[in-house]
Amino acid sequence: MILGVLNQKGGVGKTTLSVNLAASLARAGRRVLLIDADPQGSALDWAAARQEGPLFSVVGFPRPTIHREIAQIGNGYDHIVIDGPPRVTDLARSAIMASDLVLIPVQPSPYDVWAAEEVVKLIEEARVYKESIKCSFVVNRKIANTAIGRDVGEALSAYPVSVLSASITQRVVFAEAAGQGMAVHEVEPGGPAAAEIEAVTAELMELAR
């Protein structure tokens, strides 16, 4: 599976989600490559902060040729996760074209719901050339027990894109793990954050079939 994690709005938690999904896939015994396609290089920073042995490979490739070079870059890997750029650019278009499945993280905010339109348009454009691209929203950084956290799924239903049943709650452990270059399952094994990541991973694997 080639999974692109994209949203043109910055600050939606793309890198945190990309890193932890890659870690979840690697835990299942798969060879995983995380491609940092964001010029800010946050996933590379995460890898540099890590003291332990690598969970998976991380490479920086913020170029608008990912879709043409993905076969070579990802040769020998079972799964590839692309941490996409935060703006609508040729680089974002290339990341979408390289993906089998695009995951769009959306925070429970009206601004995020409105901003999602841009990446949905990009995916629809890409399908002209690659009809098989699948996509789904995931609610990320949800505030537990709030009305807006519950209502965001309904707000996203205006788009022709499914919303994952699993979601990710705002938790301090995500930041604590990132600061150490670790995944949440390493910092808090069996904790709720790790369980949420596993649930999203399982749903994505079903969707990718």
Side-chain angles (χ1 to χ4, degrees), residues 143-172:
I143 307 299
N145 302 317
T146 60
I148 194 166
R150 294 190 297 270
D151 296 346
V152 65
E154 184 178 337
L156 289 169
S157 66
Y159 295 109
V161 176
S162 64
V163 182
L164 294 188
S165 298
S167 60
I168 306 295
T169 304
Q170 176 86 304
R171 300 183 193 278
V172 173

Side-chain angles (χ1 to χ4, degrees), residues 104-171:
I104 310 167
V106 179
Q107 294 182 116
S109 148
Y111 302 107
D112 285 64
V113 173
W114 297 331
E117 183 176 2
E118 294 296 330
V119 73
V120 171
K121 283 181 180 176
L122 282 186
I123 294 166
E124 290 174 345
E125 290 171 10
R127 280 179 172 154
V128 173
Y129 306 98
K130 186 178 176 182
E131 291 181 18
S132 62
I133 299 173
K134 297 178 181 179
C135 64
S136 187
F137 289 117
V138 63
V139 179
N140 197 33
R141 293 180 170 172
K142 184 171 72 171
I143 307 299
N145 302 317
T146 60
I148 194 166
R150 294 190 297 270
D151 296 346
V152 65
E154 184 178 337
L156 289 169
S157 66
Y159 295 109
V161 176
S162 64
V163 182
L164 294 188
S165 298
S167 60
I168 306 295
T169 304
Q170 176 86 304
R171 300 183 193 278

Side-chain angles (χ1 to χ4, degrees), residues 8 14 51 66 84 114 157 167 179 186:
Q8 64 90 34
K14 283 188 302 81
Q51 301 296 314
I66 300 172
W114 297 331
S157 66
S167 60
E186 296 177 287

